[in-house]
């Protein structure tokens, strides 16, 4: 059975004091014995400080992005080794806001280079995939997922399934309050899993696929009850300890 994973994506929110307070409350609320993995992904500048608060707890930290070169003249960028150095264990890669919203307009080739660089540094990529509203309306959802999985994983090999996480995040559901139905999520996750199996072999059965897009404590249980939904990548609801911990509790309950 895949161990559920709940990760909070803080995006460009909070300040250092409030971030430390929030992660302290999350660490206190996540019992070390609970049957799920939990991570928070603060902005780069707060990573080291937030990692320090999590020390000795069951909560780990991840970053929201990475650059694919290992060092050099890349002003403003941060390498995977630097992230490892300050205690990050996960790296969100190819988030839809970086693919579509922020001026960078990341493409699948760059995303693949970031996945590979993250793996080389011994960190775990959380590769984000998902269709836009117009792609869904024109019935291209599964084709988009196929393309993004295959392009994102070119040249990637795994020894263990824990070395990769996928996040299915329909772009139309992110930050909108509009959540995918459990059936829509399951269809997308099952398709993604079959692509993982085709690309990586049987290890694909064990790789965790998170759902992201307006997941909240009151809709988490039905989504997490789907056979191929192994956790959540949480934006808005990760900024308050009670709502984030509510989703963690739903993930724990899903393992019962
Ligand atoms: P949301 O964001 O939960 O606010 O919709 C999810 C994400 O962007 O990862």
């Amino acid at each position: 059975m895949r161990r559920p994973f709940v990760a909070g994506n803080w995006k460009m929110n909070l300040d250092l004091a409030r971030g430390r307070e929030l992660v302290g409350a999350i660490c206190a609320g996540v019992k070390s014995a609970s049957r799920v993995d939990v991570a928070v992904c603060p902005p780069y500048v707060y990573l080291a400080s937030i990692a320090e608060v999590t020390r000795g707890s069951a909560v780990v930290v991840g970053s929201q992005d990475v650059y694919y070169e290992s060092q050099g003249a890349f002003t403003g960028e941060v390498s995977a080794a630097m992230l490892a150095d300050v205690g990050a264990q996960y790296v969100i890669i190819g988030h839809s806001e970086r693919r579509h919203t922020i001026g960078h307009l990341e493409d699948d080739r760059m995303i693949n280079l970031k996945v590979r660089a993250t793996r080389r540094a011994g960190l775990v990529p959380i590769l984000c995939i998902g269709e836009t509203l117009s792609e869904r309306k024109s019935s291209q959802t599964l084709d988009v997922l196929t393309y993004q999985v295959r392009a994102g994983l070119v040249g990637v090999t795994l020894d263990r399934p824990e070395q990769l996480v996928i996040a299915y995040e329909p772009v139309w559901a992110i930050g909108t309050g509009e959540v995918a139905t459990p059936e829509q999520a399951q269809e997308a996750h099952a398709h993604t899993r079959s692509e993982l199996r085709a690309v990586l072999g049987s290890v694909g059965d064990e790789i965790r696929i998170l759902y992201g897009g307006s997941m909240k404590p009151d809709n988490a249980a039905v989504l997490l009850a789907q056979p191929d939904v192994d956790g959540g990548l949480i934006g808005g609801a990760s900024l308050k300890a009670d709502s984030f911990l509510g989703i963690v509790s739903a993930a724990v309950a899903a393992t019962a």
Side-chain angles (χ1 to χ4, degrees):
M1 172 149 181
R2 296 177 295 268
R3 183 176 163 91
F5 179 36
V6 180
N9 174 9
W10 291 1
K11 308 191 180 183
M12 200 173 74
N13 290 298
L14 304 172
D15 56 25
L16 182 56
R18 287 194 297 156
R20 284 177 65 100
E21 193 184 323
L22 172 61
V23 78
I26 291 169
C27 291
V30 175
K31 309 283 174 296
S32 53
S34 72
R35 300 181 297 270
V36 302
D37 290 333
V38 178
V40 296
C41 303
Y44 280 146
V45 288
Y46 300 149
L47 259 174
S49 179
I50 298 298
E52 179 193 284
V53 179
T54 63
R55 212 161 286 149
S57 80
V59 178
V60 299
V61 298
S63 73
Q64 300 173 16
D65 191 27
V66 65
Y67 194 58
Y68 55 82
E69 296 285 357
S70 54
Q71 60 175 34
F74 304 102
T75 301
E77 297 291 353
V78 173
S79 74
M82 291 171 179
L83 295 173
D85 201 17
V86 296
Q89 297 187 26
Y90 291 92
V91 180
I92 297 172
I93 298 173
H95 189 278
S96 81
E97 284 147 20
R98 299 196 62 81
R99 288 180 187 263
H100 303 294
T101 311
I102 302 170
H104 295 68
L105 289 179
E106 292 194 11
D107 61 14
D108 289 277
R109 186 184 155 276
M110 178 182 276
I111 288 164
N112 173 245
L113 291 172
K114 291 183 173 188
V115 170
R116 288 157 65 165
T118 298
R119 284 279 300 112
R120 275 198 303 278
L123 303 184
V124 178
I126 302 176
L127 171 62
C128 300
I129 59 174
E131 80 287 1
T132 62
L133 185 58
S134 70
E135 287 164 344
R136 175 159 285 273
K137 283 186 170 159
S138 56
S139 303
Q140 293 179 69
T141 297
L142 301 185
D143 290 341
V144 168
L145 299 181
T146 295
Y147 181 75
Q148 291 179 341
V149 168
R150 291 184 179 242
L153 296 180
V154 169
V156 173
T157 53
L158 305 180
D159 308 316
R160 292 180 289 109
E162 299 79 28
Q163 292 170 331
L164 174 69
V165 175
I166 304 288
Y168 168 62
E169 301 205 300
V171 179
W172 47 272
I174 295 178
T176 58
E178 195 175 334
V179 65
T181 65
E183 294 73 25
Q184 286 172 328
Q186 174 54 25
E187 181 191 35
H189 283 230
H191 180 76
T192 299
R193 190 169 306 291
S194 73
E195 291 301 319
L196 288 174
R197 225 180 278 127
V199 175
L200 299 169
S202 58
V203 73
D205 286 330
E206 300 304 318
I207 291 171
R208 291 174 297 185
I209 306 175
L210 315 183
Y211 170 81
S214 300
M215 191 186 263
K216 312 274 182 232
D218 60 0
N219 61 29
V222 286
L223 289 160
L224 293 164
Q226 301 304 307
D228 287 293
V229 177
D230 307 316
L233 182 55
I234 318 299
S238 74
L239 298 174
K240 294 243 159 49
D242 56 353
S243 52
F244 188 66
L245 289 169
I247 296 171
V248 172
S249 298
V252 172
T255 65

